[in-house]
Amino acid sequence: MITQIKVYSRNVYGVSKNYPACDQAQRFAKLIGVKTLSREQLVQIGALGFQVEYVPDPKAQFDAIMDRAVVSHQAEIARAEWERS
């Protein structure tokens, strides 16, 4: 039996929300009838013997990768323009 669930936190309009990040956490959310898990719900899940692990927000990781790609692309364009002049 899996005794660990993974969640990630995301700030939504100034409110920190905990989103399920694994199948087990998604099952708990579905059982409770919610999309996000409150701190109290995570405490109760922990009381059932589950370890709650916070993982990085996948959207934040994707945004960081895209930001680096955009900066890299802009640098390539600037270098090409400089070499033409």
Side-chain angles (χ1 to χ4, degrees):
M1 180 168 132
I2 299 172
T3 59
Q4 179 182 44
I5 68 166
K6 296 179 182 182
V7 297
Y8 61 91
S9 185
R10 182 177 291 167
N11 190 326
V12 180
Y13 297 109
V15 178
S16 182
K17 297 190 177 254
N18 301 305
Y19 289 86
C22 69
D23 290 339
Q24 194 75 357
Q26 288 175 346
R27 286 188 195 102
F28 273 112
K30 186 173 183 178
L31 178 67
I32 298 168
V34 296
K35 288 186 178 183
T36 61
L37 298 165
S38 71
R39 177 175 279 171
E40 178 58 31
Q41 290 165 337
L42 293 174
V43 167
Q44 294 303 318
I45 291 169
L48 291 172
F50 288 83
Q51 179 183 4
V52 178
E53 178 185 352
Y54 281 86
V55 297
D57 180 352
K59 183 180 182 307
Q61 290 178 320
F62 176 77
D63 289 347
I65 290 169
M66 292 306 293
D67 288 345
R68 284 193 300 269
V70 167
V71 168
S72 176
H73 181 68
Q74 289 171 342
E76 288 176 21
I77 291 171
R79 185 170 11 122
E81 288 176 2
W82 180 78
E83 289 175 350
R84 275 190 261 141
S85 60

